[in-house]
Amino acid sequence: MTATEGFEATLEVDLAAITANWRGLCARHGASVAGVVKADAYGLGAGPVARALAEAGCRHFFVAQFAEGMALREALGAGPMIAVLGGFPPGADAGAGLTPVLNGPTDIAAWQAAGAPGAGTILHLDTGMERLGLSPVERAALPPGALDGLGLRYVMTHLACADEPGHELNALQPRRFAEAAAAFPGIPRSLANSAGIFHGAAMASDLARPGCALYGLNPTPGQTNPMRQVLRLTVPVLQVRQVAAGTPVGYGATWVAKRDSRIATIAAGYADGYLRALSSRGIGIVAGRPVPLVGRVSMDLITLDVTDAPDIRPGDRVEMIGPAQTPDEVAALAGTIGYEVMTSLGARYRRQYRPA
Ligand SMILES: *Cc1c(COP(=O)(O)O)cnc(C)c1O
């Protein structure tokens, strides 16, 4: 308990919803399912999230960066696989108990130069993303034996368009992956991200790698979200003021009251990752009802028109993201995707975990 508790924006994270989402994905995929906890588990806190998933039985984790992997190993202890999607940086510690994803000839050479079997590796085969992963041309150009002794635990590829079910790459990529992986008999395969799991058998593999669906984003865009909501951001009211019709509010005076209005100022802003693009577009939820964000989002403050929520007082909390207004819905208002809304969730929010 800190002296300012009650006047901080609070991010409630429902770990039970995350583990329920993971179990649901396991049932749907019918094979092993990892937890992708890169970018601090999409803003929710990699340590608590990964510990809850491990407790639920998750044995495979993915992060983006080597440093994220080291911190996660510390949080999880020995046991689960922690794979690093970003590869094996030259000079990194091959004995750190991490499993680098080797994304091309440079990673392969760096891993072999490190000379340690470590916790094995994953080989990334590109099948159409053209971002990371060994291309067919690079694979053909490797000298004989270049892929020996890597301690391969999986071969993997990554889907470019899984959230667009009709896209032709969804038919091409699994086929290309099956062809490329045939050169590695007996090595388990890893294919689907969250959306890929919902494509069914064509994208099944030995290990799926969902991130967003664990955290309640919709892996089936355009259809009803099958995942449970996980987070709730509530922001305390600092002040409520009366403004007369014709009065401008906030930086740039971009919003002008059309009627006598009550304005609530709440304690979060773009420095907390509440996107400035939500200026005069965002919505707050007060006692279950929407109130409009008016004027610009400031660095540390947001103003809301609460004329129609007359009971609101300083110290009350406004829900800015949550079950009544999901990260996907906030993203649509801001012209972005739920992933960006979540990974922007600020460091100043007090994170409160509901146990699994
Ligand atoms: C981020 C990422 C995932 C998880 O993707 P979601 O769409 O969040 O499920 C899986 N695999 C790779 C390679 C990734 O970069």
Side-chain angles (χ1 to χ4, degrees):
M1 195 88 172
T2 63
T4 59
E5 198 157 313
F7 273 90
E8 288 161 344
T10 301
L11 184 66
E12 295 162 50
V13 180
D14 185 347
L15 296 173
I18 295 176
T19 54
N21 284 339
W22 181 75
R23 289 193 183 97
L25 295 170
C26 291
R28 180 171 280 278
H29 187 242
S32 292
V33 173
V36 177
V37 295
K38 61 191 178 186
D40 206 22
Y42 293 39
L44 299 180
V49 167
R51 277 194 297 268
L53 286 170
E55 196 105 324
C58 182
R59 305 303 295 157
H60 308 84
F61 294 88
F62 284 81
V63 294
Q65 300 177 348
F66 214 80
E68 288 181 325
M70 307 266 277
L72 188 61
R73 179 58 76 205
E74 187 98 11
L76 284 180
M81 178 182 93
I82 299 175
V84 179
L85 290 164
F88 187 68
D93 179 5
L98 304 180
T99 299
V101 173
L102 304 179
N103 288 310
T106 316
D107 277 341
I108 293 168
W111 178 255
Q112 280 169 340
T121 62
I122 296 174
L123 183 64
H124 185 176
L125 305 166
D126 185 42
T127 57
M129 182 71 133
E130 304 295 349
R131 186 179 68 168
L132 291 175
L134 206 59
S135 73
V137 172
E138 284 171 332
R139 212 160 58 238
L142 287 173
L147 296 175
D148 295 348
L150 294 178
L152 276 189
R153 295 176 73 162
Y154 290 91
V155 288
M156 67 164 259
T157 197
H158 189 44
L159 299 165
C161 304
D163 55 354
E164 295 174 50
H167 200 286
E168 61 174 352
L169 273 172
N170 289 319
L172 278 173
Q173 286 195 271
R175 213 152 62 219
R176 289 175 180 164
F177 184 46
E179 281 165 23
F184 304 90
I187 305 294
R189 302 173 185 187
S190 175
L191 173 56
N193 63 347
S194 296
I197 292 173
F198 288 82
H199 288 252
M203 294 196 186
S205 69
D206 300 296
L207 181 66
R209 304 184 311 272
C212 75
L214 296 173
Y215 311 123
L217 298 184
N218 188 356
T220 61
Q223 296 177 46
T224 307
N225 189 349
M227 311 315 297
R228 272 175 62 175
Q229 286 304 304
V230 163
L231 72 104
R232 183 162 178 264
L233 172 66
T234 62
V235 182
V237 175
L238 296 177
Q239 275 196 4
V240 182
R241 66 176 55 222
Q242 188 74 30
V243 302
T247 308
V249 171
Y251 281 123
T254 58
W255 185 84
V256 180
K258 289 201 182 65
R259 54 176 177 172
D260 293 348
S261 302
R262 277 167 33 97
I263 301 296
T265 302
I266 65 172
Y270 62 73
D272 300 295
Y274 190 89
L275 303 174
R276 190 168 174 275
L278 290 161
S279 294
S280 284
R281 307 179 73 96
I283 291 170
I285 307 287
V286 174
R289 290 178 41 199
V291 296
L293 190 162
V294 295
R296 286 199 182 140
V297 174
S298 308
M299 185 183 293
D300 317 297
L301 298 169
I302 291 166
T303 41
L304 302 162
D305 177 357
V306 295
T307 316
D308 298 327
D311 295 335
I312 195 163
R313 302 269 178 281
D316 289 352
R317 287 182 168 269
V318 182
E319 182 180 307
M320 298 305 289
I321 310 178
Q325 186 185 205
T326 66
D328 285 321
E329 290 167 333
V330 173
L333 293 175
T336 182
I337 54 175
Y339 297 76
E340 189 176 31
V341 167
M342 289 198 63
T343 56
S344 300
L345 290 166
R348 298 192 294 193
Y349 297 147
R350 189 159 55 87
R351 281 160 173 75
Q352 240 174 19
Y353 295 94
R354 194 182 140 223

